[in-house]
Amino acid sequence: MSDTELPPAAQPDLFPEQEDEVVATREPLTARRVAIVGVRLVAGVVGLGVATVTIAASVLLPLPTVSSTPPSTLVTPVPTAQQQVCPGAVLRLADDTGQGATTSSALGVPTTSSASSSGSVTRTPLQQSDASTGGTAAAPVVISTPPNAADPAEVILLSGAQSQQVNEGDFVGLAAATCSAVSADSWLVGGSTAVGRTTLLTLSNPTEVPATVDLELFGENGAITAPGTSGIVVPASGQRVLSLAGFAPDVVSPVVHVTSTGGQVTAELQQSTVRGLEPGGLDIVGATVAPATDVVIPGLRVDDLASVQTLLVGGASFADLQTVLRLYAPGEGTVSTTISVIPEDGVGTGTSFPYEFDAGRVAEVPITDLESGNYTVRIVADTPTLAAVRVSNAAPAANADTPAATDFAWLTAAVPLTSTAQLTVATGPSPLLHIANPTTAAVSMTLTAAGGEGTIVELPAGASTSLPVEGGETYTLSGYDTLYAAVSLAGDGMIARYSAQPSGAGSDPIRVYR
């Protein structure tokens, strides 16, 4: 045994046995103790009663309401000028000799018309351009009109349009476009980079700061990944011109999504077609409406149908003379649509049919068996969808040595007009104003030429019509809840068309809380 060990009897019992119970000592019950216990029971019952009454009162009795009005100020933002951008001249790559294949240049100068409800319009060309048109009459033009200083909330109506008839080498046709407001997000549906088709993307920045633009490209095989589609810098008061084939060669059915940060831009496609050695037309394609489940395209103008059908038998190179509807829906899955082609004023044979396509891929639907006439195309889809229609025009050959003249136009979806709007008619052959009312209520609208008397136009529910208008003139549309409108121009072997734009906004007062 070591010196530190204890004998067994001296070691502490770490696990005492449990049999030994502790016996509590009970005090004897006295009269005083009974009284104390009774008082404690009564106090507990009274306390419980008070708590119960307090809880009930908090639930059943109304609480006092304390309110205060936060200080605020009614502020009217500084009114700014209404501003739109007209695309500028039709452009081409290379020159007559084929030199400078990557350099764009202008093909003449467009005719631009504009007007404002205030009577004052300023025109300013952009100062820089990849096409070397900066500061000239061929550059994109910014049209603007000042606000009403006496009434900043007044909506000043501004509109403009341009047209250009080109007959230079491989470039023959009529192009027309509306002047449009800048945007940070726009979609372009049209164009082609297949053999014999050249499509340029133009980005115009009228603001005072550079814009950084990103592109998303889609085609018949889905999304297109290409270098150089992000971080494209468009200088202040400048235009960039980019060949779409540089990003997406041999794409029959491109769709382009344009987003910008910093300055905002307007975006257009310019397509030209050459079939063999013969020019096949040209067009400027403006931005269409954002994806929607109800898309309306007024102004499908079918002229000289016999001449187009004669050319269609000429082989694959002429296949894109066929009227076609281009569709695209972002995302995945199957998109179900109903496509309706409605003759204006009930004249002609329309059609309506269901159609399904895959989201994420561009689809094209031929629209056949149309008689000569004017139509509205409507697409109702179960998924937000983009749409545009390509239509062609042809003039028969004058003799065996002269080819038939052909041209085409891309018809973008129209923005719904929900208040008084103004549109300017571009100069060109046989201009028509197309009006569509896809709603379930009849419309009685007023069409007023600048400085003239108004004309009442009655339009039944679901109907559309067209009216002859004057090139270069400006018209006001009023007296409706919802309407869609477009302007078309057409002649022998020439066709162009653009959608009407909604009005700008005034400077309404805003309440600012402090």
Side-chain angles (χ1 to χ4, degrees):
M1 178 181 300
S2 65
D3 294 339
T4 59
E5 287 182 341
L6 297 175
Q11 292 182 0
D13 189 359
L14 300 177
F15 302 97
E17 293 183 354
Q18 304 300 317
E19 295 92 358
D20 297 335
E21 297 181 357
V22 178
V23 179
T25 303
R26 179 173 298 176
E27 296 181 6
L29 187 63
T30 63
R32 180 176 179 274
R33 186 166 180 78
V34 169
I36 291 173
V37 172
V39 170
R40 289 175 177 173
L41 288 174
V42 171
V45 171
V46 171
L48 179 62
V50 171
T52 302
V53 172
T54 301
I55 293 172
S58 67
V59 173
L60 299 178
L61 297 179
L63 295 175
T65 301
V66 178
S67 62
S68 63
T69 302
S72 65
T73 303
L74 195 62
V75 177
T76 300
V78 176
T80 58
Q82 297 287 345
Q83 187 180 80
Q84 296 179 356
V85 183
C86 312
V90 172
L91 304 175
R92 68 175 176 186
L93 291 178
D95 55 25
D96 290 334
T97 65
Q99 300 299 312
T102 60
T103 303
S104 55
S105 58
L107 288 163
V109 175
T111 300
T112 302
S113 304
S114 60
S116 165
S117 59
S118 70
S120 174
V121 177
T122 300
R123 298 188 189 184
T124 307
L126 295 186
Q127 297 303 301
Q128 302 180 61
S129 174
D130 289 345
S132 301
T133 60
T136 73
V141 174
V142 181
I143 60 171
S144 61
T145 187
N148 185 339
D151 183 8
E154 180 186 356
V155 176
I156 303 296
L157 303 180
L158 174 67
S159 61
Q162 68 169 59
S163 62
Q164 186 177 355
Q165 187 174 342
V166 179
N167 187 358
E168 187 171 337
D170 293 337
F171 298 86
V172 178
L174 174 68
T178 186
C179 305
S180 55
V182 294
S183 174
D185 190 310
S186 55
W187 290 87
L188 300 168
V189 182
S192 173
T193 61
V195 175
R197 282 72 184 162
T198 301
T199 300
L200 303 178
L201 169 65
T202 61
L203 305 168
S204 300
N205 173 17
T207 71
E208 297 178 354
V209 296
T212 301
V213 172
D214 295 334
L215 307 178
E216 291 182 285
L217 307 176
F218 309 92
E220 55 270 21
N221 295 319
I224 299 169
T225 302
T229 55
S230 62
I232 300 168
V233 177
V234 186
S237 188
Q239 180 193 47
R240 294 297 309 274
V241 181
L242 307 167
S243 173
L244 201 60
F247 303 119
D250 299 321
V251 176
V252 175
S253 309
V255 167
V256 184
H257 185 202
V258 180
T259 56
S260 68
T261 55
Q264 295 184 326
V265 301
T266 60
E268 290 89 19
L269 297 175
Q270 293 195 16
Q271 181 189 346
S272 60
T273 296
V274 178
R275 297 184 177 91
L277 299 176
E278 304 299 337
L282 48 85
D283 193 33
I284 296 177
V285 189
T288 189
V289 297
T293 55
D294 193 351
V295 182
V296 179
I297 306 175
L300 171 55
R301 190 166 173 174
V302 180
D303 290 344
D304 238 337
L305 184 60
S307 297
V308 172
Q309 291 175 331
T310 299
L311 292 170
L312 281 172
V313 301
S317 181
F318 292 87
D320 57 0
L321 286 173
Q322 174 68 59
T323 300
V324 70
L325 170 66
R326 182 174 293 183
L327 297 169
Y328 175 76
E332 299 178 349
T334 300
V335 182
S336 298
T337 69
T338 299
I339 300 169
S340 301
V341 184
I342 307 159
E344 290 181 352
D345 298 321
V347 178
T349 302
T351 183
S352 182
F353 55 92
Y355 183 78
E356 292 187 346
F357 67 98
D358 293 333
R361 296 173 180 263
V362 182
E364 290 198 341
V365 188
I367 300 178
T368 58
D369 302 325
L370 292 181
E371 301 174 354
S372 293
N374 302 319
Y375 301 84
T376 293
V377 180
R378 185 178 185 185
I379 303 96
V380 178
D382 63 357
T383 300
T385 297
L386 296 160
V389 172
R390 185 191 64 231
V391 65
S392 299
N393 198 338
N399 53 61
D401 298 326
T402 304
T406 63
D407 197 10
F408 64 90
W410 281 101
L411 285 53
T412 57
V415 180
L417 306 177
T418 56
S419 60
T420 298
Q422 178 179 289
L423 65 87
T424 296
V425 180
T427 59
S430 304
L432 290 178
L433 170 62
H434 304 267
I435 305 169
N437 171 26
T439 71
T440 56
V443 168
S444 179
M445 64 153 288
T446 302
L447 178 67
T448 307
E453 296 183 358
T455 300
I456 304 297
V457 180
E458 304 287 346
L459 202 57
S464 57
T465 189
S466 58
L467 305 165
V469 286
E470 294 293 327
E473 292 293 326
T474 296
Y475 296 82
T476 301
L477 288 70
S478 59
Y480 52 83
D481 291 326
T482 301
L483 210 61
Y484 297 79
V487 173
S488 71
L489 308 167
D492 290 340
M494 294 184 292
I495 190 166
R497 180 266 193 200
Y498 57 88
S499 298
Q501 302 293 311
S503 305
S507 295
D508 294 322
I510 300 172
R511 185 166 295 279
V512 178
Y513 292 92
R514 295 175 288 159

